[in-house]
């Protein structure tokens, strides 16, 4: 089935968004509608979206909703989209979640729509396969091993030397990611990976464990857009991570304060990594550790940086990065613009496990430098201190002339937020029990 030729972003078109992150992920829908486009949202289930604060309002943004759709099954998803396409011709496909990129790419390919190749998106879901490609291309990265059982993981960690990072080979959202310092911690983390076969929203896990040598140093991400194989950076985001053993992303500033030579080295290493992975048309979010021997690739994500970070970036760019994502989906060639000033985002988390009674962020909203405060958790839900990205209850964004000033404003505003937790069972592991976005 061949759709009409892809429309430029300025021409009203029909976009299909396959899943997203609760609440935050619907910002792209609002932007597409503001540009005059029609949007269909396709989901396996609406439950994760309705559970989030503001979920009902977010689900009113698309022109239509299709639910009960097998959004990770290429054949099943294609059947649904083809039926939709016959009545409402589709001009572009969007996906902001790793678990749904491969199937979305397959559909785009079948309909002749602009998108990264399906084979590349499938490859990016296998972090071990990407590691092997980077190794063959000589791209700097930590030493790594693959395991399919806790026993294999312990043996692999012994070969790498402690400490090691233990993670799912196909995971996202920092689920089941940890730093192990001995065999016992390695076995415990690996067992969680091997036993965690669902990531929610229809995404299944392989149970394969990826172990990586721990590289000390600050972590940044490099945000890029690749068109016809040429990758251009928007800039880097620095990272505030929770302490080990659960290095959850709690915040960051854009653009990161990096010396020119460090920034150039990061951009060069990331561009080499994207080329080695075969990326030719995508927004990418690549995490990098600034180790003692220079930048090393942590992982490549074939989509825009997640959660509310794009909103922070928009304040700094003075334009909307979601427009670039839409433009790329409709066959355009977006070009990043330079940053003006700096922004910082800070996650709001629970101080203890229990049941959320409420979040008072009014003082933070009026604090100097605060641009926006977004809450995505509802009173009555089980919460705990951050162990993965799904434990984050909300975010605040600040802006200033420099990253240091934006960070100071964010910390001061964050200190004004009051999270009240009542005694009770905290959240269990797994993405279906909370509503956090991924980044």
């Amino acid at each position: 089935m061949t759709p009409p030729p892809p429309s430029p972003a300025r021409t009203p078109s029909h976009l299909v968004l396959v899943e997203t992150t609760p609440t935050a992920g619907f910002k792209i829908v609002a932007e597409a509608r503001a540009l005059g486009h029609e949007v269909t949202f396709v989901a396996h289930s609406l439950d994760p979206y309705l559970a989030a604060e503001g979920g009902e309002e977010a689900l009113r943004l698309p022109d239509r909703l299709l639910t009960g759709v097998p959004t990770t099954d290429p054949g099943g998803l294609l059947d649904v989209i083809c039926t939709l396409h016959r009545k409402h011709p589709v001009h572009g496909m969007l996906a902001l979640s790793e678990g749904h990129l491969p199937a979305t790419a397959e559909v785009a390919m079948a309909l002749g729509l602009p998108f990264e190749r399906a084979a590349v998106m499938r490859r990016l879901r296998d972090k071990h396969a990407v590691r092997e490609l980077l190794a063959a291309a000589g791209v700097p990265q930590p030493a790594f091993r693959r395991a399919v059982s806790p026993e294999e993981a312990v043996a692999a960690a012994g070969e790498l030397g402690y400490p090691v990072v233990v993670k799912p080979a196909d995971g996202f959202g920092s689920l089941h990611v940890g730093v192990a310092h001995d065999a016992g911690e390695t076995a415990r983390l690996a067992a969680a990976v091997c036993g965690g076969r669902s990531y929610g929203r229809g995404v299944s896990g392989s149970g394969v464990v990826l172990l990586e040598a721990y590289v000390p140093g600050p972590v940044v991400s490099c945000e890029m857009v690749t068109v016809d194989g040429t990758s251009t950076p928007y800039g880097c985001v620095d990272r505030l991570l929770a302490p080990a053993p659960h290095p959850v992303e709690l915040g960051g500033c854009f653009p990161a304060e990096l010396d020119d030579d460090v920034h150039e080295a990061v951009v060069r290493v990331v561009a080499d990594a994207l080329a080695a992975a075969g990326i030719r048309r995508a927004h990418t979010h690549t995490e990098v550790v600034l180790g003692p021997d220079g930048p090393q690739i942590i992982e490549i994500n074939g989509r825009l940086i997640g959660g509310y970070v794009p909103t922070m970036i928009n304040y700094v760019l003075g334009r909307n990065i979601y427009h670039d994502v839409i433009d790329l989906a409709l066959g355009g060639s977006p070009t990043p613009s330079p940053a003006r000033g700096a922004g910082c985002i800070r996650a709001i988390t629970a101080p203890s496990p229990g049941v959320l009674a409420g979040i008072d962020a009014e003082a933070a909203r009026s604090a100097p430098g605060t641009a926006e405060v977004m809450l995505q958790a509802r009173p009555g839900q089980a919460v705990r201190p951050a162990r993965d990205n799904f434990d984050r209850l909300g975010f605040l964004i600040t802006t200033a002339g420099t990253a240091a000033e934006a960070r100071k404003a964010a910390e001061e505003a964050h200190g004004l937020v009051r999270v009240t937790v009542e005694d009770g069972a905290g959240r269990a592991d797994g993405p279906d029990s909370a509503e956090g976005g991924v980044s």
Side-chain angles (χ1 to χ4, degrees):
M1 180 180 298
T2 303
S7 304
R10 63 180 179 274
T11 302
S13 303
H14 179 201
L15 293 158
V16 174
L17 174 62
V18 181
E19 303 282 5
T20 189
T21 53
T23 308
F26 287 90
K27 285 182 173 286
I28 194 169
V29 177
E31 293 302 327
R33 292 290 307 278
L35 292 171
H37 300 309
E38 180 183 359
V39 181
T40 296
F41 178 60
V42 180
H44 176 71
S45 168
L46 296 183
D47 290 348
Y49 306 101
L50 291 170
E53 183 69 25
E56 296 93 341
E57 181 180 354
L59 287 170
R60 287 194 288 268
L61 290 172
D63 293 272
R64 64 184 60 83
L65 303 173
L66 299 180
T67 63
V69 179
T71 49
T72 59
D73 171 36
L77 180 61
L78 179 60
D79 287 344
V80 172
I81 301 304
C82 283
T83 299
L84 171 70
H85 175 67
R86 284 191 286 270
K87 296 180 180 178
H88 308 279
V90 177
H91 303 99
M93 299 292 297
L94 297 167
L96 303 178
S97 165
E98 283 96 339
H100 304 95
L101 285 167
T104 304
E106 294 274 8
V107 171
M109 182 173 66
L111 294 180
L113 299 175
F115 210 87
E116 182 56 83
R117 291 163 295 167
V120 173
M121 288 306 187
R122 286 194 300 271
R123 183 183 305 140
L124 292 180
R125 285 286 292 133
D126 185 344
K127 300 178 195 298
H128 181 261
V130 173
R131 286 275 182 230
E132 291 185 317
L133 283 174
L134 299 187
V139 177
Q141 63 176 339
F144 62 96
R145 296 289 189 276
R146 179 181 184 274
V148 295
S149 69
E151 294 77 17
E152 284 190 11
V154 170
E159 295 173 4
L160 292 171
Y162 289 102
V164 296
V165 178
V166 182
K167 63 174 69 171
D170 58 359
F172 55 88
S174 296
L175 281 167
H176 307 310
V177 177
V179 179
H181 295 82
D182 56 39
E185 290 182 349
T186 301
R188 178 179 57 79
L189 289 167
V193 174
C194 294
R197 297 303 180 95
S198 174
Y199 296 119
R201 290 181 292 167
V203 183
S204 299
S206 65
V208 175
V209 185
L210 180 64
L211 297 100
E212 301 166 349
Y214 177 80
V215 178
V219 174
V220 301
S221 67
C222 186
E223 312 310 320
M224 285 202 177
V225 60
T226 303
V227 181
D228 296 330
T230 299
S231 298
T232 308
Y234 288 91
C236 294
V237 181
D238 65 24
R239 294 304 174 93
L240 171 65
L241 300 179
H246 302 289
V248 179
E249 297 163 6
L250 297 180
C253 293
F254 175 86
E257 287 187 311
L258 302 175
D259 292 339
D260 289 345
D261 59 336
V262 175
H263 180 267
E264 291 171 2
V266 170
V267 170
R268 183 173 58 253
V269 167
V270 171
D272 289 346
L274 300 184
I279 293 171
R280 296 195 55 79
R281 186 177 186 82
H283 279 86
T284 53
H285 163 61
T286 306
E287 297 174 0
V288 180
V289 59
L290 306 180
D293 299 322
Q296 298 189 38
I297 300 295
I298 296 176
E299 64 182 43
I300 302 170
N301 301 281
R303 44 83 182 170
L304 185 70
I305 190 170
Y308 290 97
V309 182
T311 301
M312 173 189 69
I313 292 175
N314 290 340
Y315 279 107
V316 177
L317 294 180
R319 55 196 289 267
N320 201 299
I321 197 170
Y322 287 124
H323 293 184
D324 289 356
V325 177
I326 294 165
D327 188 19
L328 193 70
L330 294 175
S333 302
T335 302
S337 59
R340 298 180 295 185
C344 189
I345 189 167
R346 189 71 166 81
I348 298 168
T349 59
S352 59
V355 176
L356 181 66
I359 302 175
D360 181 358
E362 291 310 305
R365 294 182 194 276
S366 59
T370 299
E372 195 167 336
V373 177
M374 301 77 62
L375 303 179
Q376 59 189 32
R378 292 181 184 273
Q381 76 179 54
V383 297
R384 66 183 182 186
R387 291 179 56 183
D388 58 49
N389 289 355
F390 297 91
D391 289 318
R392 301 178 300 189
L393 310 180
F395 298 86
L396 61 85
I397 294 171
T398 57
T399 59
T402 67
E405 293 169 342
R407 183 179 293 106
K408 182 175 184 292
E411 290 304 316
E412 291 176 352
H414 186 265
L416 298 174
V417 177
R418 296 290 177 263
V419 179
T420 304
V421 177
E422 297 175 341
D423 291 341
R427 182 176 86 80
D429 287 329
D432 287 326
S433 51
E435 296 84 39
V438 297
S439 62

